Amino acid sequence: MKKLIHNIRLQLESGNDLILASIVKSTGSTPRSSGSKMVILRNGEIDGTIGGGLVEALVLQAAAKLFNNLENAVTFKKFDLSNELAANADMICGGNVTVMLEHLSADKENTTIFSTIDTGLRLGQKITTLTLMDKGETSSTSSKRVVDLDQDVPVITNFPREELLTILIKSRKTDKPIVLESETKQLIAESFAPQPSLFIFGAGHVSRPTAALASSVNFRTVVLDDRSEFANADRFPLADEIKVLTNFENAFANLNVTESSYIIIVTRGHLHDKTVLAEALKTPARYVGMIGSSKKRNAIYDALIEEGVTQESIDRCHCPIGISIGAQTPEEIAVSIVAELIQERSGD
């Protein structure tokens, strides 16, 4: 999602209008769930997917027609994947999906909104929007806004504040679109959740391919090192954040490490590894991994135990890091590390 939102921002900033197709309702067995998105450009190019197959082909046809409508028009398409449509397409899903197609003009308002969403996701923030449109299959106009729940709920005619707050909270909790209707209007709350944060301590030769590969499989990557000649955008062009540290002793200052965060330790020396690991084990991070041999690991673990760190805490650390695939080069080691991150994320 992060990459898709970023590409929407770039298209709008370049003056290109587009169609944003989103699954807003899904029941039963479907190729993709609510919240899945796809972008269609005027030249027919697409980015993302809402499941492929016949449904996606029909959505592309509808998008081509919508380009001829007024900008910011919206239309809804419903597909029953349990009937003749699915049978003719050799599909065995058996569910139902409703797809919302929005014709986003490259105006200042839309550009600002998707710039805000893009920036928020890169910073690890969850962003919620409200889209107001006419009730029915097609709306000739729509308006979208970013909602900050730390401020007051916006006032929208014909929609009570309590109901607005309910759908906003539900959307943020489920990360799925929530629809609210009045007699003449409908409102859709959508939340854009950031990808799991991966904090990479150390910006050396293993970190570069690891950060790039992790970004490609939907981790939000943050690279940290005390050397600006290593920790920079030239070396890590895909990193969401790059932090040049004063020292590793205070490496976790101002970091938002949560239960969904991942930490890998690949600094340039054992002393830095030990310093970072000691602090990492104090966090609620879902995963903590450290590169190094068994000999190095045992030396660091023994030192931490002498300093009062419990064995239970130390057992959280994956070391040697990564899945055993006989990796030798930095790129191969990166594959090993990211494979273990994916395994942890999937719960296997």
Side-chain angles (χ1 to χ4, degrees), residues 137-155:
E137 182 177 322
T138 301
S139 174
S140 59
T141 184
S142 65
S143 62
K144 190 185 298 287
R145 70 176 75 184
V146 174
V147 179
D148 184 352
L149 289 185
D150 290 333
Q151 301 177 3
D152 201 9
V153 176
V155 177

PDB file of all heavy atoms in Angstrom, residues 137-155:
ATOM      1  N   GLU A 137     -25.431   4.387  -7.178  1.00  0.00           N
ATOM      2  CA  GLU A 137     -24.360   3.705  -7.898  1.00  0.00           C
ATOM      3  C   GLU A 137     -23.326   4.673  -8.437  1.00  0.00           C
ATOM      4  O   GLU A 137     -22.134   4.352  -8.493  1.00  0.00           O
ATOM      5  CB  GLU A 137     -24.945   2.883  -9.053  1.00  0.00           C
ATOM      6  CG  GLU A 137     -23.900   2.105  -9.826  1.00  0.00           C
ATOM      7  CD  GLU A 137     -24.496   1.251 -10.920  1.00  0.00           C
ATOM      8  OE1 GLU A 137     -25.578   0.670 -10.697  1.00  0.00           O
ATOM      9  OE2 GLU A 137     -23.873   1.159 -12.002  1.00  0.00           O
ATOM     10  N   THR A 138     -23.758   5.877  -8.829  1.00  0.00           N
ATOM     11  CA  THR A 138     -22.831   6.861  -9.405  1.00  0.00           C
ATOM     12  C   THR A 138     -23.061   8.220  -8.779  1.00  0.00           C
ATOM     13  O   THR A 138     -24.198   8.642  -8.569  1.00  0.00           O
ATOM     14  CB  THR A 138     -23.012   6.956 -10.935  1.00  0.00           C
ATOM     15  OG1 THR A 138     -22.777   5.673 -11.512  1.00  0.00           O
ATOM     16  CG2 THR A 138     -22.039   7.955 -11.541  1.00  0.00           C
ATOM     17  N   SER A 139     -21.972   8.902  -8.469  1.00  0.00           N
ATOM     18  CA  SER A 139     -22.017  10.265  -7.942  1.00  0.00           C
ATOM     19  C   SER A 139     -21.196  11.149  -8.861  1.00  0.00           C
ATOM     20  O   SER A 139     -20.057  10.817  -9.208  1.00  0.00           O
ATOM     21  CB  SER A 139     -21.452  10.317  -6.513  1.00  0.00           C
ATOM     22  OG  SER A 139     -21.375  11.646  -6.051  1.00  0.00           O
ATOM     23  N   SER A 140     -21.776  12.254  -9.283  1.00  0.00           N
ATOM     24  CA  SER A 140     -21.082  13.143 -10.220  1.00  0.00           C
ATOM     25  C   SER A 140     -19.977  13.939  -9.546  1.00  0.00           C
ATOM     26  O   SER A 140     -19.145  14.557 -10.212  1.00  0.00           O
ATOM     27  CB  SER A 140     -22.071  14.105 -10.888  1.00  0.00           C
ATOM     28  OG  SER A 140     -22.730  14.894  -9.909  1.00  0.00           O
ATOM     29  N   THR A 141     -19.960  13.930  -8.234  1.00  0.00           N
ATOM     30  CA  THR A 141     -18.925  14.676  -7.516  1.00  0.00           C
ATOM     31  C   THR A 141     -18.648  14.006  -6.179  1.00  0.00           C
ATOM     32  O   THR A 141     -19.453  13.228  -5.678  1.00  0.00           O
ATOM     33  CB  THR A 141     -19.369  16.138  -7.283  1.00  0.00           C
ATOM     34  OG1 THR A 141     -18.302  16.867  -6.665  1.00  0.00           O
ATOM     35  CG2 THR A 141     -20.595  16.207  -6.395  1.00  0.00           C
ATOM     36  N   SER A 142     -17.497  14.302  -5.632  1.00  0.00           N
ATOM     37  CA  SER A 142     -17.136  13.768  -4.321  1.00  0.00           C
ATOM     38  C   SER A 142     -16.108  14.699  -3.700  1.00  0.00           C
ATOM     39  O   SER A 142     -15.470  15.495  -4.388  1.00  0.00           O
ATOM     40  CB  SER A 142     -16.560  12.354  -4.435  1.00  0.00           C
ATOM     41  OG  SER A 142     -15.335  12.384  -5.145  1.00  0.00           O
ATOM     42  N   SER A 143     -15.962  14.580  -2.394  1.00  0.00           N
ATOM     43  CA  SER A 143     -14.930  15.351  -1.699  1.00  0.00           C
ATOM     44  C   SER A 143     -14.274  14.458  -0.664  1.00  0.00           C
ATOM     45  O   SER A 143     -14.930  13.650  -0.007  1.00  0.00           O
ATOM     46  CB  SER A 143     -15.530  16.594  -1.036  1.00  0.00           C
ATOM     47  OG  SER A 143     -16.489  16.234  -0.057  1.00  0.00           O
ATOM     48  N   LYS A 144     -12.962  14.589  -0.536  1.00  0.00           N
ATOM     49  CA  LYS A 144     -12.178  13.748   0.373  1.00  0.00           C
ATOM     50  C   LYS A 144     -11.416  14.656   1.326  1.00  0.00           C
ATOM     51  O   LYS A 144     -10.945  15.732   0.943  1.00  0.00           O
ATOM     52  CB  LYS A 144     -11.220  12.857  -0.434  1.00  0.00           C
ATOM     53  CG  LYS A 144     -10.523  11.767   0.387  1.00  0.00           C
ATOM     54  CD  LYS A 144      -9.501  11.014  -0.466  1.00  0.00           C
ATOM     55  CE  LYS A 144     -10.122  10.296  -1.623  1.00  0.00           C
ATOM     56  NZ  LYS A 144     -10.870   9.081  -1.182  1.00  0.00           N
ATOM     57  N   ARG A 145     -11.282  14.199   2.560  1.00  0.00           N
ATOM     58  CA  ARG A 145     -10.514  14.954   3.548  1.00  0.00           C
ATOM     59  C   ARG A 145      -9.780  13.996   4.469  1.00  0.00           C
ATOM     60  O   ARG A 145     -10.218  12.861   4.684  1.00  0.00           O
ATOM     61  CB  ARG A 145     -11.427  15.873   4.367  1.00  0.00           C
ATOM     62  CG  ARG A 145     -12.349  15.147   5.313  1.00  0.00           C
ATOM     63  CD  ARG A 145     -13.161  16.104   6.168  1.00  0.00           C
ATOM     64  NE  ARG A 145     -14.226  16.729   5.401  1.00  0.00           N
ATOM     65  CZ  ARG A 145     -15.037  17.675   5.889  1.00  0.00           C
ATOM     66  NH1 ARG A 145     -14.863  18.112   7.130  1.00  0.00           N
ATOM     67  NH2 ARG A 145     -15.995  18.185   5.163  1.00  0.00           N
ATOM     68  N   VAL A 146      -8.645  14.459   4.979  1.00  0.00           N
ATOM     69  CA  VAL A 146      -7.908  13.720   5.998  1.00  0.00           C
ATOM     70  C   VAL A 146      -8.445  14.128   7.362  1.00  0.00           C
ATOM     71  O   VAL A 146      -8.638  15.320   7.628  1.00  0.00           O
ATOM     72  CB  VAL A 146      -6.399  13.993   5.907  1.00  0.00           C
ATOM     73  CG1 VAL A 146      -5.659  13.329   7.063  1.00  0.00           C
ATOM     74  CG2 VAL A 146      -5.848  13.504   4.573  1.00  0.00           C
ATOM     75  N   VAL A 147      -8.684  13.144   8.220  1.00  0.00           N
ATOM     76  CA  VAL A 147      -9.267  13.408   9.536  1.00  0.00           C
ATOM     77  C   VAL A 147      -8.223  13.146  10.609  1.00  0.00           C
ATOM     78  O   VAL A 147      -7.584  12.087  10.636  1.00  0.00           O
ATOM     79  CB  VAL A 147     -10.493  12.513   9.779  1.00  0.00           C
ATOM     80  CG1 VAL A 147     -11.070  12.772  11.168  1.00  0.00           C
ATOM     81  CG2 VAL A 147     -11.548  12.757   8.718  1.00  0.00           C
ATOM     82  N   ASP A 148      -8.048  14.115  11.482  1.00  0.00           N
ATOM     83  CA  ASP A 148      -7.149  13.973  12.621  1.00  0.00           C
ATOM     84  C   ASP A 148      -7.999  13.749  13.858  1.00  0.00           C
ATOM     85  O   ASP A 148      -8.670  14.666  14.338  1.00  0.00           O
ATOM     86  CB  ASP A 148      -6.292  15.238  12.775  1.00  0.00           C
ATOM     87  CG  ASP A 148      -5.253  15.106  13.891  1.00  0.00           C
ATOM     88  OD1 ASP A 148      -5.301  14.107  14.622  1.00  0.00           O
ATOM     89  OD2 ASP A 148      -4.403  16.014  14.012  1.00  0.00           O
ATOM     90  N   LEU A 149      -7.978  12.527  14.382  1.00  0.00           N
ATOM     91  CA  LEU A 149      -8.824  12.212  15.526  1.00  0.00           C
ATOM     92  C   LEU A 149      -8.333  12.851  16.811  1.00  0.00           C
ATOM     93  O   LEU A 149      -9.031  12.817  17.831  1.00  0.00           O
ATOM     94  CB  LEU A 149      -8.939  10.700  15.694  1.00  0.00           C
ATOM     95  CG  LEU A 149      -9.782   9.981  14.637  1.00  0.00           C
ATOM     96  CD1 LEU A 149      -9.923   8.508  14.987  1.00  0.00           C
ATOM     97  CD2 LEU A 149     -11.142  10.614  14.480  1.00  0.00           C
ATOM     98  N   ASP A 150      -7.120  13.414  16.790  1.00  0.00           N
ATOM     99  CA  ASP A 150      -6.659  14.157  17.954  1.00  0.00           C
ATOM    100  C   ASP A 150      -7.370  15.503  18.044  1.00  0.00           C
ATOM    101  O   ASP A 150      -7.347  16.164  19.081  1.00  0.00           O
ATOM    102  CB  ASP A 150      -5.144  14.382  17.884  1.00  0.00           C
ATOM    103  CG  ASP A 150      -4.376  13.086  18.093  1.00  0.00           C
ATOM    104  OD1 ASP A 150      -4.915  12.187  18.761  1.00  0.00           O
ATOM    105  OD2 ASP A 150      -3.244  12.984  17.582  1.00  0.00           O
ATOM    106  N   GLN A 151      -7.976  15.910  16.931  1.00  0.00           N
ATOM    107  CA  GLN A 151      -8.788  17.111  16.917  1.00  0.00           C
ATOM    108  C   GLN A 151     -10.256  16.700  16.905  1.00  0.00           C
ATOM    109  O   GLN A 151     -10.587  15.528  16.977  1.00  0.00           O
ATOM    110  CB  GLN A 151      -8.438  17.977  15.698  1.00  0.00           C
ATOM    111  CG  GLN A 151      -6.981  18.394  15.654  1.00  0.00           C
ATOM    112  CD  GLN A 151      -6.649  19.183  14.410  1.00  0.00           C
ATOM    113  OE1 GLN A 151      -7.498  19.489  13.588  1.00  0.00           O
ATOM    114  NE2 GLN A 151      -5.378  19.535  14.280  1.00  0.00           N
ATOM    115  N   ASP A 152     -11.161  17.668  16.804  1.00  0.00           N
ATOM    116  CA  ASP A 152     -12.574  17.344  16.862  1.00  0.00           C
ATOM    117  C   ASP A 152     -13.031  16.681  15.569  1.00  0.00           C
ATOM    118  O   ASP A 152     -12.461  16.897  14.495  1.00  0.00           O
ATOM    119  CB  ASP A 152     -13.394  18.619  17.109  1.00  0.00           C
ATOM    120  CG  ASP A 152     -14.770  18.297  17.671  1.00  0.00           C
ATOM    121  OD1 ASP A 152     -15.000  17.118  18.012  1.00  0.00           O
ATOM    122  OD2 ASP A 152     -15.610  19.204  17.746  1.00  0.00           O
ATOM    123  N   VAL A 153     -14.062  15.855  15.653  1.00  0.00           N
ATOM    124  CA  VAL A 153     -14.642  15.207  14.484  1.00  0.00           C
ATOM    125  C   VAL A 153     -15.273  16.279  13.595  1.00  0.00           C
ATOM    126  O   VAL A 153     -15.954  17.183  14.084  1.00  0.00           O
ATOM    127  CB  VAL A 153     -15.715  14.179  14.918  1.00  0.00           C
ATOM    128  CG1 VAL A 153     -16.402  13.562  13.710  1.00  0.00           C
ATOM    129  CG2 VAL A 153     -15.073  13.107  15.777  1.00  0.00           C
ATOM    130  N   PRO A 154     -15.040  16.240  12.282  1.00  0.00           N
ATOM    131  CA  PRO A 154     -15.588  17.278  11.402  1.00  0.00           C
ATOM    132  C   PRO A 154     -17.115  17.270  11.395  1.00  0.00           C
ATOM    133  O   PRO A 154     -17.745  16.230  11.633  1.00  0.00           O
ATOM    134  CB  PRO A 154     -15.028  16.898  10.022  1.00  0.00           C
ATOM    135  CG  PRO A 154     -14.727  15.443  10.111  1.00  0.00           C
ATOM    136  CD  PRO A 154     -14.267  15.230  11.520  1.00  0.00           C
ATOM    137  N   VAL A 155     -17.681  18.407  11.111  1.00  0.00           N
ATOM    138  CA  VAL A 155     -19.132  18.533  11.003  1.00  0.00           C
ATOM    139  C   VAL A 155     -19.526  18.307   9.545  1.00  0.00           C
ATOM    140  O   VAL A 155     -19.069  19.010   8.651  1.00  0.00           O
ATOM    141  CB  VAL A 155     -19.609  19.925  11.465  1.00  0.00           C
ATOM    142  CG1 VAL A 155     -21.116  20.057  11.265  1.00  0.00           C
ATOM    143  CG2 VAL A 155     -19.241  20.155  12.930  1.00  0.00           C
TER     144      VAL A 155
END
